[in-house]
Amino acid sequence: MKVAILGATGLVGQRFVQLLSNHPFFEITALAASDNSAGKKYREAVQWRLNVPVAEKAGDMVLKKCTPDIDCDYVFSALPSDVAGEIEEEFANAGYIVFSNAASHRMDEDVPLIIPEVNLDHLKITETQKRKGKIITNPNCSTIGFTMVLKPIMDRFGIEEANVVTMQAISGAGYPGVPSMDIIDNVVPFIKNEEEKIMTESKKILGRLKDGKIYPANLDIFAQCNRVAVVDGHMLSITIKTQEKATLSEIVRAFEDFQPLKGMYLPTAPEKPVFYLTGVDSPQPKFHRDLGGGMSVSVGRLKQYSNKQFGFVALVHNTIRGAAGCAVLNAEIYNIFRG
Amino acid sequence: MKVAILGATGLVGQRFVQLLSNHPFFEITALAASDNSAGKKYREAVQWRLNVPVAEKAGDMVLKKCTPDIDCDYVFSALPSDVAGEIEEEFANAGYIVFSNAASHRMDEDVPLIIPEVNLDHLKITETQKRKGKIITNPNCSTIGFTMVLKPIMDRFGIEEANVVTMQAISGAGYPGVPSMDIIDNVVPFIKNEEEKIMTESKKILGRLKDGKIYPANLDIFAQCNRVAVVDGHMLSITIKTQEKATLSEIVRAFEDFQPLKGMYLPTAPEKPVFYLTGVDSPQPKFHRDLGGGMSVSVGRLKQYSNKQFGFVALVHNTIRGAAGCAVLNAEIYNIFRG
Amino acid sequence: MKVAILGATGLVGQRFVQLLSNHPFFEITALAASDNSAGKKYREAVQWRLNVPVAEKAGDMVLKKCTPDIDCDYVFSALPSDVAGEIEEEFANAGYIVFSNAASHRMDEDVPLIIPEVNLDHLKITETQKRKGKIITNPNCSTIGFTMVLKPIMDRFGIEEANVVTMQAISGAGYPGVPSMDIIDNVVPFIKNEEEKIMTESKKILGRLKDGKIYPANLDIFAQCNRVAVVDGHMLSITIKTQEKATLSEIVRAFEDFQPLKGMYLPTAPEKPVFYLTGVDSPQPKFHRDLGGGMSVSVGRLKQYSNKQFGFVALVHNTIRGAAGCAVLNAEIYNIFRG
Amino acid sequence: MKVAILGATGLVGQRFVQLLSNHPFFEITALAASDNSAGKKYREAVQWRLNVPVAEKAGDMVLKKCTPDIDCDYVFSALPSDVAGEIEEEFANAGYIVFSNAASHRMDEDVPLIIPEVNLDHLKITETQKRKGKIITNPNCSTIGFTMVLKPIMDRFGIEEANVVTMQAISGAGYPGVPSMDIIDNVVPFIKNEEEKIMTESKKILGRLKDGKIYPANLDIFAQCNRVAVVDGHMLSITIKTQEKATLSEIVRAFEDFQPLKGMYLPTAPEKPVFYLTGVDSPQPKFHRDLGGGMSVSVGRLKQYSNKQFGFVALVHNTIRGAAGCAVLNAEIYNIFRG
């Protein structure tokens, strides 16, 4: 299966390149970027910020423009939101299947916002799309971590209210992104549109598909977002009120039993989508962000406040599970269902 | 008024030295520390970690042992919790007035846990102490910031529930404290006993004095604590449910009107105990921790979720307002009332 | 004396605003910035990154364009190098005395590159300028620290060779400047043009004025520059070969005796231009950058390798002594001599 | 071949565990630590600080005491210097081959200080040891990076003088090691004994073996050491004077041709011991420390000052090539020669 990456030079684009080089299903046939970069070798155009070197083959590719004349089946979009909407539309209309990490189409009625472990069934609404191809999106990075840990609890006990405070990594802002003058010895309690995304996207993801439409989940969500001096890995301090009573051990079991993709051969799917850690001070970005190849959301510090109230901490690798990795997993699973 | 500092070599001890050198009411007559350090010059025994140099006079003092034979009236205790309880008891029994930052006596029935702007009336329960002197404590650093911003809202609208997630500075763990291997490129979602302190101390502080006893406030508090790579200044992401309806502007007014010490001459009291900031990304530790000389708690990012639900961010300088500065302010006000 | 600041919104511009608000000689009558910002209030146009709040009066000023129609005598330039050359020329031609921190004119034959403690006599070459006003520059930030510690040694023992490795703060790159993705958990061994500036500027500063011309000093300089995760304060690891034999104590004495401005009333001049520290691990940016109000260069870890070879560490506050503070001191001293 | 690790719980011990788990030649049969930890499971006793999880098998091992009654052939020592000397002596006298990262025996006349690529021939002086077993040491972390880049130049052009300024990672100080209060927003220009080690160890390593004795190399070395806020990877800014003239391209060729172990099957040896990078701002700890699995020393920013004077920057992963990895490579090569 031939694939292309749009916006390949950004931080999320770099993760796409990393995850799709040597992928068993997919072969990168094109890397595309802004008109400025088009025509240059990828290696020379990119400011590579990952701590594994760029794959030889990708490094040698000459960047294309983001126009729908690329020889491939799937397109992964890491485009910035201000241009993503239109370009993705062009590709989808031209017949490409677009897996997008951009926010532009996420809340469109006919576009699913997929985390395979959480709402695979939502894929069905792509049938209502009138494009020759399709647009399939993955959620915002924090939202992915947030909904992946809510889902197992919701399925068993229902959730009435969820309060989340994020401590987000600098890589979430791309490159050059956060100035060092702003974040060394500091916390910035504001990330543009982030709280809104968590509150609206989560309800769509956790919502119910009925008659070809998604009805948002009915729970209260309060989100406050902070930027901290961490390179990769968003931390989430969460408190919830369940609809039904639960015990600590029942919640733990819900996390551990949560393996909805078990048995499917999906190269990017982690063994444990939610990785429950017992350490007194776990999870931590530095030590746990790479669990499950960066595709597991780790959870720890579970506390019970009352028989319907719980607190815990979750960690999601924001550019792998929270961005490129989720899109790749979406493509892997789409590929199977299509076949 | 002669004062001594117990535990003068630690980080909070250093702040006491800074705040009490050149104080208009108080004169440091003795610095005391562990038996190991006693006998050495303060300058040589201390690993001074503040970015203002140690005052000449204090630097030249020879450290005493922490025994109640010091020539002074007031004693400020920055002792570690494992030894504070006993030593403070000895001093109080010997007739000294002890202003303590240690946790040991905070929850004692006859010991007030004072933030002058919040619960000055609680000072009265010192009358029930059977010591020749007195013990007066200030709360935990995060708790101080937390209760100072709850108080103005509580007084006007009542508070049913408060959810707080902290992002705490490394100076809160003292020196050597947090290993750099643990916190660079990391967040640690655990601080020993901190969540418990916030939940129990806050209820005492916000409680009601009746018949010489303090009845804890009746609200639900959920606290989750994190350590981040910030030198000074604890950030708190807070959501609350009020008892009565309120609007954003009413909450702002409550913060701005909150000046319970106005008109009293207290050198360490800030003009604005709660400093409301309108910047879209305020407060931030690096830029706002020193407001009001480190004695103001700054607040920002106020959001309304429903007519009884609000979110906001607060910042408290953990070793000034959150520790030494609060104790000094307690002493200043005690001094006035006594006179 | 009325003064204006060109490029007032940048990091160095902010330091000028800080140092010139409440200055005993100077009164800010205008702040100027790029055409983009002109017309806005300073407070709203600036992204203030200092940890002291912006002065009320400056905050309220409306930004002007950088055109030579400002009512003032002295102009301080914190303009970026790509525009500084021309704009400063316009102001100088129009009769203003321009004190510039920009690199554009530093190496011009008729422009002095002044550090008052080091080469005040070089001011004389301004007489060869054909402008109606004058341009007087201060050196690059690292160069200032470097030459200030070489000068006392050079005067007594001569210097044949100096090797300097810098570890420079992020504020040296302005704002937004260094991306956090580049510097957290990292060192960047490259700062554009910095090594060249140190090698060429130092020789001019340490050079000899003869017949209205400056003859560069005759010593070998090897410079390698690194960026590190420090907010303010450039560190320099220096080794030197002297021309004549010296002892450690003679070098220390040379540092301590170095007070060429003693007795002059210069508000910004520090008591000790070179502040020798004896601590085994001094100086350190976090603890010593503000010595002498940020105007002292601190020195420590002096070691002797042979009777003509020495090593030591120097620290200079890069935006105070290394930029705005040096220009202000230049203006103070020019003001005296003119009078 | 059975191997044991002494001091297995420290940071270097952890690297030994990582590098020796799944090693093709060696099998860990015992982990040993202080009497405090002995008897506990490794997983529970260790404060694991690497970002790859501890190997299952090692995690399950029960820690032994550091006494010479362990069933193995080779012993890797990551003991702290204050106890290493004696314990290593006991093991060597009992017949074990001890590969030590500790400083205790490094400068002993009969103990070789080996970097296989640099001075493999020095192994021969082990024959002069009177122990039943042997002690073979590897140098200090900075010294390893330093001598590995000097060696190729020395062999071709001779070196008269080398000046090195280090910027060293916090992991070099072990765990808990450097307090975060000391290093966030700071540089510490002092590391105990480090400058001395670089100056003395380097001369031994680069020295000549003659008649069963090592004669130290005859060059001047000036070293100044700094600690910076980097997790792993020591940076070195180096300037040298060669004995013979050289050009930039000759120096580059010397680096690239330097492959003294080529053709030997050594699992831990990197393809390029010295990895020359052409990027204008390379090497950087964050992006290049893991080159060659952490066993390559990367070099960049090569500059020529005169026909015998050069500057460049080197980077060494301090706990892999600079500690555990070097000892493992020493064992691999000893194993071959012995066979």
Side-chain angles (χ1 to χ4, degrees):
Chain A
M1 187 78 49
K2 294 173 182 173
V3 305
I5 300 166
L6 309 181
T9 55
L11 274 190
V12 172
Q14 293 176 31
R15 283 290 180 200
F16 273 123
V17 170
Q18 179 197 12
L19 297 173
L20 292 168
S21 292
N22 309 312
H23 191 283
F25 296 0
F26 305 133
E27 195 201 340
I28 303 175
T29 54
L31 301 177
S34 69
D35 294 0
N36 260 345
S37 297
K40 293 185 194 160
K41 268 202 179 178
Y42 183 62
R43 181 176 288 112
E44 280 138 34
V46 72
Q47 292 195 275
W48 188 261
R49 297 287 96 178
L50 307 187
N51 57 1
V52 289
V54 58
E56 278 304 305
K57 205 188 131 189
D60 289 339
M61 282 186 171
V62 174
L63 282 163
K64 290 199 182 337
K65 292 190 182 187
C66 293
T67 45
D69 54 4
I70 292 177
D71 172 30
C72 71
D73 307 288
Y74 291 177
V75 167
F76 293 96
S77 164
L79 292 167
S81 291
D82 54 336
V83 299
E86 213 170 313
I87 295 177
E88 291 173 9
E89 198 65 61
E90 282 170 28
F91 273 84
N93 287 335
Y96 296 87
I97 311 297
V98 179
F99 296 92
S100 169
N101 182 58
S104 319
H105 292 287
R106 281 183 194 153
M107 296 306 293
D108 292 0
E109 267 222 338
D110 58 359
V111 172
L113 192 51
I114 300 291
I115 307 167
E117 290 92 338
V118 174
N119 64 340
L120 191 52
D121 58 322
H122 289 195
L123 258 184
K124 230 177 145 47
I125 63 159
T126 54
E127 293 171 7
T128 68
Q129 290 187 23
K130 291 181 185 135
R131 300 156 178 117
K132 194 175 153 199
K134 305 267 176 236
I135 296 178
I136 294 162
T137 63
N138 60 269
N140 160 278
C141 45
S142 304
T143 307
I144 290 176
F146 183 52
T147 51
M148 280 181 70
V149 295
L150 290 194
K151 178 67 174 172
I153 303 174
M154 203 170 183
D155 283 352
R156 297 207 178 165
F157 311 102
I159 295 181
E160 210 167 88
E161 187 184 306
N163 192 312
V164 58
V165 173
T166 68
M167 290 156 278
Q168 301 187 215
I170 53 172
S171 60
Y175 185 83
V178 182
S180 54
M181 287 294 291
D182 284 354
I183 204 66
I184 290 180
D185 186 18
N186 207 12
V187 169
V188 180
F190 177 70
I191 300 174
K192 209 177 170 192
N193 297 330
E194 191 79 2
E195 298 173 355
E196 293 77 5
K197 285 179 193 170
I198 293 177
M199 296 194 277
T200 57
E201 293 183 11
S202 296
K203 288 180 187 172
K204 178 171 179 178
I205 298 161
L206 296 171
R208 191 159 298 184
L209 178 78
K210 215 178 114 183
D211 308 329
K213 239 188 100 174
I214 293 162
Y215 294 85
N218 183 19
L219 78 166
D220 285 332
I221 297 176
F222 308 113
Q224 297 197 78
C225 295
N226 301 280
R227 186 78 67 192
V228 293
V230 164
V231 177
D232 287 313
H234 290 354
M235 290 282 279
L236 294 81
S237 275
I238 298 169
T239 49
I240 54 165
K241 290 194 191 166
T242 55
Q243 286 171 335
E244 286 164 44
K245 293 182 188 175
T247 63
L248 282 178
S249 60
E250 284 172 334
I251 301 282
V252 170
R253 215 172 320 128
F255 287 145
E256 293 188 333
D257 291 352
F258 185 65
Q259 304 206 20
L261 304 180
K262 204 177 175 172
M264 299 176 70
Y265 176 58
L266 297 163
T268 302
E271 204 192 309
K272 301 184 180 185
V274 174
F275 202 126
Y276 179 71
L277 298 165
T278 55
V280 69
D281 56 2
S282 300
Q284 295 180 24
K286 194 173 170 188
F287 300 114
H288 304 114
R289 59 192 162 205
D290 288 325
L291 284 179
M295 288 297 287
S296 292
V297 176
S298 18
V299 184
R301 298 225 58 230
L302 183 63
K303 287 154 289 190
Q304 180 150 24
Y305 299 122
S306 77
N307 55 28
K308 292 185 177 176
Q309 290 176 297
F310 299 87
F312 53 90
V313 175
L315 166 70
V316 57
H317 192 304
N318 52 301
T319 62
I320 301 184
R321 168 55 87 164
C326 193
V328 171
L329 185 57
N330 284 348
E332 289 172 1
I333 213 158
Y334 180 84
N335 192 48
I336 285 182
F337 279 98
R338 203 186 64 150
Chain B
M1 187 76 51
K2 293 173 182 173
V3 304
I5 300 166
L6 309 182
T9 55
L11 274 191
V12 172
Q14 293 175 32
R15 283 288 179 201
F16 273 122
V17 170
Q18 179 197 12
L19 297 172
L20 292 168
S21 293
N22 308 311
H23 190 281
F25 296 0
F26 305 132
E27 196 201 339
I28 303 175
T29 54
L31 300 177
S34 68
D35 293 2
N36 261 344
S37 297
K40 294 184 193 160
K41 269 203 179 176
Y42 182 63
R43 181 176 287 111
E44 279 139 33
V46 72
Q47 291 196 274
W48 189 261
R49 298 287 96 179
L50 307 187
N51 56 0
V52 288
V54 59
E56 278 305 305
K57 205 188 131 191
D60 289 338
M61 283 186 170
V62 174
L63 282 164
K64 289 199 183 333
K65 291 190 182 188
C66 294
T67 46
D69 53 4
I70 293 177
D71 171 30
C72 70
D73 309 286
Y74 290 178
V75 167
F76 293 96
S77 164
L79 291 167
S81 292
D82 54 335
V83 300
E86 214 169 312
I87 295 177
E88 291 173 9
E89 198 65 62
E90 283 170 29
F91 273 85
N93 287 336
Y96 296 87
I97 311 297
V98 179
F99 296 93
S100 169
N101 182 59
S104 320
H105 293 288
R106 283 183 193 152
M107 296 306 294
D108 291 1
E109 266 222 339
D110 59 359
V111 172
L113 191 53
I114 300 290
I115 306 168
E117 289 92 337
V118 175
N119 64 342
L120 190 52
D121 58 322
H122 290 195
L123 258 184
K124 231 178 145 49
I125 63 161
T126 55
E127 292 172 9
T128 67
Q129 291 187 23
K130 290 179 186 140
R131 299 154 178 120
K132 195 174 154 202
K134 304 266 176 236
I135 295 178
I136 294 163
T137 63
N138 61 269
N140 161 278
C141 45
S142 305
T143 306
I144 291 177
F146 183 53
T147 52
M148 280 182 69
V149 294
L150 290 194
K151 178 68 175 172
I153 303 174
M154 203 170 181
D155 283 353
R156 297 208 177 165
F157 310 102
I159 295 180
E160 211 166 88
E161 187 184 306
N163 192 311
V164 58
V165 173
T166 68
M167 290 156 279
Q168 301 187 215
I170 53 171
S171 61
Y175 185 83
V178 182
S180 53
M181 286 295 291
D182 283 355
I183 203 67
I184 290 180
D185 185 19
N186 208 12
V187 169
V188 180
F190 177 70
I191 300 173
K192 210 178 169 191
N193 296 331
E194 191 79 3
E195 298 172 354
E196 293 76 4
K197 284 179 192 169
I198 293 177
M199 296 193 277
T200 58
E201 292 184 12
S202 296
K203 289 180 186 170
K204 177 171 178 179
I205 298 162
L206 296 171
R208 192 159 299 185
L209 177 79
K210 216 178 114 182
D211 309 329
K213 239 187 99 173
I214 293 162
Y215 294 85
N218 183 19
L219 79 166
D220 285 332
I221 297 175
F222 308 113
Q224 298 197 79
C225 295
N226 301 280
R227 186 78 68 194
V228 293
V230 164
V231 176
D232 286 314
H234 290 353
M235 290 282 280
L236 294 81
S237 276
I238 298 170
T239 50
I240 55 164
K241 290 192 191 168
T242 55
Q243 285 170 336
E244 285 165 44
K245 292 182 189 176
T247 64
L248 282 178
S249 59
E250 285 172 332
I251 301 282
V252 171
R253 216 172 320 128
F255 288 144
E256 293 187 334
D257 291 351
F258 185 66
Q259 303 205 22
L261 305 180
K262 205 176 174 173
M264 300 175 70
Y265 176 59
L266 298 162
T268 303
E271 204 192 309
K272 302 184 181 183
V274 174
F275 203 127
Y276 178 71
L277 298 166
T278 54
V280 69
D281 56 2
S282 299
Q284 295 180 25
K286 192 173 172 189
F287 301 114
H288 304 113
R289 60 192 163 204
D290 288 325
L291 285 179
M295 287 297 286
S296 291
V297 176
S298 17
V299 184
R301 298 224 60 229
L302 183 64
K303 286 154 290 190
Q304 178 150 24
Y305 299 121
S306 76
N307 55 27
K308 292 184 177 177
Q309 289 176 297
F310 299 87
F312 53 90
V313 174
L315 166 69
V316 58
H317 193 304
N318 53 300
T319 63
I320 301 182
R321 168 55 85 164
C326 193
V328 170
L329 185 57
N330 283 347
E332 289 172 2
I333 212 158
Y334 180 84
N335 192 48
I336 285 181
F337 280 98
R338 203 186 64 151
Chain C
M1 187 77 51
K2 294 175 183 171
V3 304
I5 299 166
L6 308 182
T9 54
L11 274 190
V12 172
Q14 294 176 32
R15 283 289 179 199
F16 273 122
V17 170
Q18 180 197 12
L19 297 173
L20 292 168
S21 294
N22 309 311
H23 190 281
F25 296 178
F26 304 132
E27 196 202 340
I28 303 176
T29 54
L31 300 177
S34 68
D35 294 1
N36 261 345
S37 297
K40 295 185 192 158
K41 268 203 180 177
Y42 183 61
R43 181 177 287 111
E44 279 138 34
V46 72
Q47 291 195 275
W48 190 259
R49 298 286 96 178
L50 307 187
N51 57 0
V52 289
V54 59
E56 279 305 305
K57 205 187 130 189
D60 289 338
M61 282 186 172
V62 174
L63 282 163
K64 289 198 183 336
K65 293 191 181 187
C66 292
T67 44
D69 53 5
I70 294 177
D71 172 31
C72 70
D73 308 288
Y74 290 178
V75 167
F76 292 96
S77 164
L79 292 167
S81 292
D82 53 335
V83 300
E86 214 170 313
I87 296 178
E88 292 173 9
E89 197 67 60
E90 282 170 30
F91 274 85
N93 287 336
Y96 296 87
I97 311 296
V98 179
F99 295 93
S100 169
N101 183 58
S104 318
H105 292 288
R106 282 183 193 152
M107 297 305 294
D108 291 359
E109 267 221 339
D110 58 359
V111 172
L113 191 53
I114 301 289
I115 306 168
E117 290 92 337
V118 175
N119 63 340
L120 190 52
D121 58 322
H122 290 195
L123 258 183
K124 229 177 148 47
I125 63 159
T126 55
E127 292 171 10
T128 67
Q129 291 188 22
K130 292 179 185 138
R131 299 153 179 121
K132 196 176 153 199
K134 303 265 176 238
I135 295 178
I136 293 163
T137 63
N138 61 269
N140 161 277
C141 45
S142 305
T143 306
I144 292 177
F146 183 54
T147 51
M148 281 181 69
V149 295
L150 290 194
K151 179 68 175 174
I153 302 174
M154 203 169 181
D155 283 352
R156 295 206 180 167
F157 311 102
I159 295 182
E160 210 167 88
E161 187 185 305
N163 192 311
V164 58
V165 173
T166 68
M167 290 156 278
Q168 302 188 214
I170 53 172
S171 61
Y175 185 83
V178 183
S180 54
M181 287 293 292
D182 284 355
I183 203 68
I184 290 180
D185 185 19
N186 208 12
V187 169
V188 179
F190 177 69
I191 299 174
K192 208 176 170 193
N193 296 332
E194 191 79 3
E195 298 173 354
E196 292 77 6
K197 284 179 193 168
I198 294 177
M199 297 193 275
T200 58
E201 292 184 11
S202 296
K203 289 180 186 171
K204 178 171 178 179
I205 299 162
L206 297 170
R208 191 160 298 185
L209 178 77
K210 216 177 113 181
D211 309 328
K213 240 189 99 172
I214 292 163
Y215 294 85
N218 182 20
L219 79 167
D220 286 331
I221 297 176
F222 308 113
Q224 297 197 77
C225 295
N226 301 280
R227 185 79 67 192
V228 294
V230 165
V231 177
D232 286 314
H234 290 353
M235 290 282 278
L236 294 82
S237 275
I238 298 170
T239 49
I240 54 163
K241 290 192 192 168
T242 55
Q243 286 171 333
E244 286 164 43
K245 292 183 190 176
T247 64
L248 282 178
S249 60
E250 284 171 333
I251 301 283
V252 171
R253 216 172 320 127
F255 288 144
E256 294 187 333
D257 290 353
F258 186 66
Q259 304 206 22
L261 305 180
K262 205 176 176 173
M264 300 174 71
Y265 176 59
L266 298 163
T268 302
E271 204 192 311
K272 301 184 182 183
V274 173
F275 203 126
Y276 179 70
L277 298 165
T278 55
V280 70
D281 55 4
S282 298
Q284 295 180 24
K286 193 174 172 188
F287 301 114
H288 304 112
R289 58 192 163 205
D290 289 324
L291 284 179
M295 288 296 288
S296 291
V297 176
S298 18
V299 183
R301 298 226 58 232
L302 183 63
K303 287 154 291 191
Q304 179 151 24
Y305 299 121
S306 76
N307 55 26
K308 292 185 177 174
Q309 290 176 297
F310 299 86
F312 53 90
V313 174
L315 166 70
V316 58
H317 192 305
N318 53 299
T319 63
I320 302 182
R321 167 56 85 164
C326 193
V328 171
L329 185 56
N330 283 347
E332 290 173 2
I333 212 157
Y334 181 85
N335 192 48
I336 286 181
F337 280 97
R338 204 187 64 152
Chain D
M1 186 78 50
K2 295 175 182 172
V3 304
I5 300 166
L6 309 182
T9 55
L11 274 190
V12 171
Q14 294 175 31
R15 283 290 179 199
F16 273 122
V17 170
Q18 179 197 11
L19 297 173
L20 293 167
S21 293
N22 309 311
H23 191 283
F25 296 179
F26 305 132
E27 196 201 339
I28 303 175
T29 54
L31 300 176
S34 69
D35 294 1
N36 262 345
S37 298
K40 294 186 194 159
K41 268 202 179 177
Y42 183 62
R43 180 176 289 112
E44 280 138 34
V46 72
Q47 292 197 273
W48 189 260
R49 297 287 97 178
L50 307 187
N51 58 1
V52 289
V54 59
E56 278 306 305
K57 205 187 130 190
D60 288 338
M61 282 185 171
V62 174
L63 282 163
K64 289 198 184 335
K65 291 190 182 187
C66 293
T67 45
D69 53 5
I70 292 177
D71 172 30
C72 71
D73 308 287
Y74 290 177
V75 167
F76 293 95
S77 163
L79 292 167
S81 292
D82 54 336
V83 300
E86 214 171 311
I87 295 178
E88 291 173 10
E89 198 66 61
E90 282 170 30
F91 274 84
N93 287 335
Y96 297 87
I97 311 297
V98 179
F99 295 93
S100 169
N101 183 58
S104 319
H105 292 286
R106 281 183 194 153
M107 297 305 294
D108 292 0
E109 267 222 338
D110 58 359
V111 172
L113 191 52
I114 301 289
I115 306 167
E117 290 92 338
V118 175
N119 63 341
L120 190 53
D121 58 322
H122 290 195
L123 258 183
K124 230 176 147 49
I125 64 160
T126 55
E127 293 172 9
T128 67
Q129 290 188 22
K130 292 182 185 135
R131 301 156 177 116
K132 195 175 153 201
K134 305 267 176 235
I135 296 178
I136 293 163
T137 63
N138 60 269
N140 160 277
C141 46
S142 304
T143 307
I144 291 177
F146 183 52
T147 51
M148 280 182 69
V149 294
L150 289 195
K151 178 68 175 173
I153 302 173
M154 203 171 183
D155 283 351
R156 296 206 179 168
F157 311 101
I159 295 181
E160 210 167 88
E161 187 184 305
N163 192 312
V164 58
V165 173
T166 68
M167 290 155 278
Q168 301 187 217
I170 54 172
S171 60
Y175 185 83
V178 182
S180 53
M181 287 293 291
D182 284 355
I183 204 67
I184 290 180
D185 186 19
N186 208 13
V187 169
V188 180
F190 177 69
I191 300 174
K192 209 177 169 192
N193 296 332
E194 191 79 2
E195 298 173 354
E196 293 77 4
K197 284 179 192 168
I198 293 177
M199 295 193 277
T200 58
E201 293 183 11
S202 295
K203 288 180 187 171
K204 178 171 178 179
I205 298 161
L206 296 170
R208 191 158 299 185
L209 178 78
K210 215 177 115 183
D211 308 330
K213 240 187 101 174
I214 293 163
Y215 294 85
N218 183 19
L219 78 168
D220 284 333
I221 297 175
F222 308 113
Q224 297 198 78
C225 295
N226 301 280
R227 185 78 67 193
V228 293
V230 164
V231 177
D232 286 313
H234 290 355
M235 290 281 279
L236 295 81
S237 275
I238 298 170
T239 49
I240 54 164
K241 289 193 192 168
T242 54
Q243 286 171 333
E244 286 164 43
K245 292 182 188 176
T247 64
L248 282 178
S249 60
E250 284 172 333
I251 301 282
V252 171
R253 215 171 321 129
F255 288 144
E256 294 188 333
D257 291 352
F258 185 65
Q259 304 206 22
L261 305 180
K262 205 176 174 172
M264 299 175 71
Y265 176 59
L266 298 163
T268 301
E271 203 191 311
K272 300 183 182 184
V274 173
F275 202 126
Y276 178 71
L277 298 165
T278 55
V280 69
D281 55 3
S282 299
Q284 296 181 23
K286 193 174 173 189
F287 301 114
H288 304 113
R289 58 192 164 205
D290 289 324
L291 284 180
M295 289 295 287
S296 292
V297 176
S298 17
V299 183
R301 297 224 61 230
L302 184 63
K303 286 155 291 190
Q304 180 150 22
Y305 299 121
S306 76
N307 56 27
K308 292 186 176 175
Q309 289 176 297
F310 299 87
F312 53 90
V313 174
L315 166 70
V316 58
H317 193 305
N318 54 299
T319 63
I320 301 182
R321 168 56 85 164
C326 193
V328 171
L329 185 56
N330 283 348
E332 289 172 4
I333 213 158
Y334 180 85
N335 192 47
I336 285 182
F337 280 97
R338 204 187 64 153

